[in-house]
Amino acid sequence: MADNLPSEFDVIVIGTGLPESIIAAACSRSGQRVLHVDSRSYYGGNWASFSFSGLLSWLKEYQENSDIVNESPVWQEQILENEEAIALSRKDKTIQHVEVFCYASQDLHEDVEEAGALQKNHASVTSTNSMEAADSACLPTEDKSLNTVSCEMPAEQIPSSDPESALVVNDAEVTGEKENHCDDKICVPSTSEEETSENVPPAEDTAEQPKKNRITYSQIIKEGRRFNIDLVSKLLYSRGLLIDLLIKSNVSRYAEFKNVTRILAFREGRVEQVPCSRADVFNSKQLTMVEKRMLMKFLTFCMEYEEHPDDYKAYEEMTFSEYLKTQKLTPNLQYFVLHSIAMISETASSTIDGLKATQNFLRCLGRYGNTPFLFPLYGQGELPQCFCRMCAVFGGIYCLRHLVQCLVVDKESGKCKAIIDQFGQRIISKHFLVEDSYFSENTCSHVQYRQISRAVLITDRSVLKTDSDQQISILTVPAEEPGSFAVRVIELCSSTMTCMKGTYLVHLTCTSSKTAREDLEPVVQKLFTPYTEMEIENEEVEKPRLLWALYFNMRDSSDISRNCYNDLPSNVYVCSGPDCGLGNDNAVKQAETLFQQICPNEDFCPPPPNPEDIVLDGDSLQPEASESSATQEVNLEPPKESANLGNPEEPSE
């Protein structure tokens, strides 16, 4: 395909992360000719999701990537006298300090069927203190290309029968009664369900019945396609910018979502559920009647705090933690509000920051469920692909595994005029958007990056056991030492389509102060116990057992001034990678800001036109018909589990 690429575009986007994908979709929707390329073999960049074997292949790819030696660039011969080049990097240096630990036992008589699987070294890991585990269990030995859900753009899903529907939300919690979660714009029916996965072959549960709860590493490998493991762990605020954009642009028809069912807190060595909605507060057995009244009074104030400036103006200079101590809240309530509702720093966040965060949390309650958060089925990596699909529908051209060697700059005008790709083809464009990781060290020599510490765990049960095993939970573990940061824990069940049945996928995230393992392992040890052979027969283990763990540091390139990059032409725009925040607002704001610079008079991702209003040359609406037929190929979730959410502009019946 590269030989047949057009030689001129309006916009060239390099990198398929979430901000780049949103911009590409917006530009394509506004009529711009868009070329969207990525040197990787999968969509999403550091926003991607992988199957288990795909994740192992990704780790191996990073190991091989670090060994790349830059060859003498042939493209220099194509640079003319009145031009200069900005070389792009062939190495991705955004991931560091990767350590992998396998705790699950492996039956040597079982054949490992999934491609890219690594064999466990039995002597390597028996506890989280084993230092040699990273080398012995880290990387696969086969030279296997990435085998992931995100490698190819999936066929379009069947759109909802209601043309005005905006989001499909599946209730993750199994309940015995029906209940409506409504606001003034959307009504979401909550129905009882059985967790079934018609699109995925049934798990081989019967083979392991003799030993209850025993999950082997071979099982994880065999069921590897059931995993969709996110590189970056985030949730969607139900009234956040990304949800609004998904609804406005109708990109939401390409994805489905689950409600996050629980907000948890870690206090005095134990995990407990936090009451956040009015019903939760009054049904809570953790709070006394006096505490319930205190909490409701304070939360009511936070919802409309701007209308009562006299109640907080005197405390603006102090931290939110100190402000809470003045509000007649018990230590129990102060802890819940600070760490599980506002979810902000105890030492670095002001009173205004805390009130805004609490207000945002409360405003998002009840739109789609009892918590403010949604999680996309099949992982966060689905979201960039949704916007890439929208871009392609409106004419954008996509090339994965397509390396861009350099940007060509005209010396006279000082503007970028073209790129030269790996085949030596020169492609002209008016605007260029480049993801931060593609710039060379020379371009980024003055940039000071932060780091994000990440851990991905596979466990055998939830951190807080309840009657239902299909819970999606978020937990914040406060920082204990000065200079360290609170750790955000997101636990996903199998109904999110991110892990195999009988396991949980747990993501830990914090701002880095050390390596990821040094930052996060203390929290892992508090919440989980390593799975060892000695414990298999003991069914009454207090903590969930840890089967597998991955630690790594990821570059945080958000909120970096454009002026920090050396000698960038005015028509070259920088897109950052994932930030450490829980939501996706930073990516959406960045995308909209850059889009307005490229297309200042255009609407940002407007709703698609009604097919009935489109008049094409000739007598056929063939493109619309072909798109419709394509969407009928794959239905990623059984329809009986889906609840259609009407367009916010028109409340559904």
Side-chain angles (χ1 to χ4, degrees):
M1 178 172 179
D3 295 335
N4 300 322
L5 278 178
S7 59
E8 186 172 351
F9 290 87
D10 296 314
V11 180
I12 294 178
V13 183
I14 304 175
T16 53
L18 184 58
E20 303 95 88
S21 300
I22 294 174
I23 296 170
C27 290
S28 181
R29 175 69 183 87
S30 67
Q32 303 290 310
R33 296 168 297 167
V34 176
L35 173 64
H36 201 172
V37 300
D38 198 324
S39 62
R40 303 174 180 91
S41 57
Y42 52 88
Y43 287 91
N46 282 348
W47 301 78
S49 303
F50 296 106
S51 68
F52 190 75
S53 61
L55 183 67
L56 300 179
S57 297
W58 174 79
L59 293 171
K60 183 184 179 186
E61 194 174 74
Y62 262 93
Q63 183 189 44
E64 294 173 344
N65 185 42
S66 64
D67 298 332
I68 290 177
V69 178
N70 283 326
E71 302 171 359
S72 177
V74 180
W75 51 262
Q76 286 187 351
E77 300 172 2
Q78 299 191 37
I79 305 301
L80 306 178
E81 290 184 5
N82 63 337
E83 298 172 342
E84 57 185 4
I86 299 176
L88 298 184
S89 176
R90 296 183 60 192
K91 298 181 182 180
D92 187 345
K93 298 182 179 179
T94 59
I95 306 295
Q96 297 178 322
H97 308 301
V98 178
E99 298 182 71
V100 179
F101 299 88
C102 180
Y103 301 93
S105 61
Q106 167 133 17
D107 187 344
L108 295 179
H109 297 290
E110 295 182 26
D111 293 327
V112 178
E113 297 176 359
E114 266 285 83
L118 62 99
Q119 294 286 346
K120 182 195 170 188
N121 182 341
H122 283 271
S124 64
V125 184
T126 55
S127 76
T128 48
N129 293 323
S130 300
M131 295 297 292
E132 295 81 6
D135 296 327
S136 59
C138 183
L139 298 169
T141 54
E142 290 186 33
D143 183 14
K144 181 73 179 175
S145 62
L146 287 178
N147 179 16
T148 97
V149 174
S150 301
C151 275
E152 300 297 334
M153 185 176 291
E156 294 180 355
Q157 295 172 251
I158 298 177
S160 167
S161 57
D162 178 4
E164 297 296 326
S165 70
L167 287 174
V168 179
V169 175
N170 297 278
D171 295 323
E173 186 174 5
V174 180
T175 59
E177 57 183 352
K178 295 185 180 181
E179 178 183 339
N180 282 342
H181 305 292
C182 299
D183 66 3
D184 57 335
K185 294 183 178 179
I186 295 181
C187 183
V188 185
S190 174
T191 59
S192 62
E193 66 174 29
E194 292 182 8
E195 292 301 334
T196 59
S197 302
E198 295 178 2
N199 61 309
V200 182
E204 299 177 4
D205 294 327
T206 56
E208 295 297 330
Q209 281 182 356
K211 292 187 178 180
K212 186 178 179 182
N213 293 334
R214 183 188 176 194
I215 298 173
T216 66
Y217 185 70
S218 294
Q219 277 183 286
I220 295 174
I221 293 294
K222 287 180 180 180
E223 301 288 345
R225 292 181 182 273
R226 288 175 173 265
F227 289 89
N228 284 292
I229 301 173
D230 296 328
L231 295 184
V232 58
S233 177
K234 289 180 176 289
L235 298 175
L236 286 76
Y237 280 93
S238 65
R239 294 189 188 277
L241 295 179
L242 184 54
I243 288 290
D244 291 343
L245 181 62
L246 287 166
I247 293 172
K248 172 188 174 184
S249 62
N250 206 21
V251 172
S252 58
R253 63 183 169 155
Y254 300 130
E256 294 180 76
F257 302 85
K258 286 278 190 186
N259 297 118
V260 174
T261 57
R262 301 185 301 185
I263 312 291
L264 304 178
F266 185 77
R267 288 198 69 205
E268 299 173 354
R270 71 177 188 275
V271 178
E272 52 192 47
Q273 188 164 348
V274 176
C276 47
S277 69
R278 182 183 296 271
D280 288 342
V281 170
F282 285 106
N283 290 330
S284 174
K285 296 179 180 179
Q286 304 162 248
L287 305 179
T288 66
M289 187 58 67
V290 174
E291 284 182 316
K292 291 177 182 180
R293 290 172 180 163
M294 286 179 179
L295 183 58
M296 285 308 304
K297 182 179 179 181
F298 180 74
L299 295 182
T300 302
F301 161 72
C302 290
M303 275 294 290
E304 48 193 32
Y305 77 91
E306 297 100 334
E307 300 175 14
H308 307 282
D310 294 341
D311 292 342
Y312 68 88
K313 283 289 185 183
Y315 306 101
E316 284 185 330
E317 300 300 322
M318 63 174 57
T319 65
F320 188 55
S321 175
E322 293 170 336
Y323 170 73
L324 290 176
K325 295 175 183 177
T326 70
Q327 295 304 297
K328 298 180 181 179
L329 296 174
T330 64
N332 199 29
L333 297 180
Q334 292 176 34
Y335 188 94
F336 285 164
V337 171
L338 181 64
H339 298 295
S340 300
I341 295 180
M343 297 184 188
I344 59 174
S345 169
E346 188 170 351
T347 57
S349 299
S350 69
T351 296
I352 297 298
D353 294 335
L355 291 173
K356 285 181 178 178
T358 304
Q359 183 187 65
N360 183 49
F361 182 99
L362 297 172
R363 282 180 174 172
C364 293
L365 281 175
R367 189 180 195 189
Y368 299 128
N370 282 331
T371 72
F373 305 113
L374 297 176
F375 180 79
L377 288 186
Y378 303 94
Q380 176 80 21
E382 289 295 295
L383 299 178
Q385 293 185 74
C386 289
F387 286 98
C388 290
R389 191 174 294 115
M390 174 183 171
C391 177
V393 165
F394 287 98
I397 295 177
Y398 278 83
C399 291
L400 296 183
R401 308 177 188 86
H402 199 91
L403 184 68
V404 176
Q405 304 273 15
C406 69
L407 306 176
V408 181
V409 181
D410 181 72
K411 289 183 178 179
E412 183 177 347
S413 66
K415 290 193 173 183
C416 186
K417 59 193 292 188
I419 62 170
I420 297 178
D421 68 10
Q422 63 195 40
F423 302 104
Q425 181 179 1
R426 177 182 286 234
I427 304 173
I428 299 170
S429 181
K430 301 173 184 175
H431 303 279
F432 303 81
L433 292 106
V434 185
E435 199 266 320
D436 169 88
S437 65
Y438 284 86
F439 287 116
S440 67
E441 291 184 0
N442 291 336
T443 304
C444 303
S445 60
H446 294 98
V447 178
Q448 297 293 322
Y449 292 110
R450 298 180 300 276
Q451 295 288 325
I452 302 169
S453 289
R454 289 277 292 113
V456 179
L457 315 177
I458 300 174
T459 66
D460 67 344
R461 62 183 173 90
S462 175
V463 292
L464 183 61
K465 198 170 182 181
T466 59
D467 294 338
S468 170
D469 63 352
Q470 295 301 315
Q471 300 280 3
I472 308 173
S473 310
I474 176 171
L475 163 68
T476 302
V477 180
E480 288 191 346
E481 300 176 1
S484 62
F485 298 89
V487 176
R488 183 175 69 245
V489 182
I490 296 176
E491 182 184 71
L492 305 172
C493 59
S494 59
S495 66
T496 62
M497 308 300 175
T498 59
C499 58
M500 61 181 276
K501 190 175 181 181
T503 65
Y504 286 81
L505 188 65
V506 183
H507 291 278
L508 288 81
T509 308
C510 75
T511 301
S512 300
S513 55
K514 305 173 186 175
T515 67
R517 184 182 171 198
E518 290 171 329
D519 283 338
L520 300 175
E521 193 175 53
V523 175
V524 173
Q525 291 173 339
K526 290 177 184 177
L527 297 174
F528 308 97
T529 186
Y531 186 106
T532 66
E533 296 288 347
M534 298 296 293
E535 295 169 348
I536 290 176
E537 303 300 330
N538 181 10
E539 296 181 5
E540 299 299 327
V541 178
E542 182 181 352
K543 301 176 184 176
R545 287 193 286 248
L546 184 58
L547 305 172
W548 186 87
L550 162 67
Y551 298 92
F552 63 92
N553 289 91
M554 177 185 289
R555 177 191 293 178
D556 181 356
S557 55
S558 63
D559 300 323
I560 291 177
S561 170
R562 173 191 169 82
N563 298 329
C564 295
Y565 297 92
N566 298 329
D567 304 324
L568 283 187
S570 59
N571 62 336
V572 174
Y573 310 90
V574 183
C575 292
S576 71
D579 64 327
C580 197
L582 174 60
N584 297 274
D585 283 4
N586 189 68
V588 178
K589 287 177 182 176
Q590 180 182 176
E592 184 169 10
T593 299
L594 295 179
F595 173 77
Q596 295 300 341
Q597 294 177 27
I598 296 170
C599 306
N601 299 317
E602 297 288 340
D603 189 11
F604 180 58
C605 287
N610 189 330
E612 297 177 359
D613 297 336
I614 299 176
V615 178
L616 302 175
D617 293 336
D619 57 353
S620 163
L621 293 179
Q622 193 65 32
E624 295 298 323
S626 63
E627 180 187 345
S628 175
S629 62
T631 63
Q632 298 179 15
E633 295 179 8
V634 176
N635 184 14
L636 297 182
E637 182 75 0
K640 64 183 179 182
E641 297 185 8
S642 299
N644 291 337
L645 306 187
N647 192 305
E649 302 303 324
E650 298 182 14
S652 58
E653 294 295 330

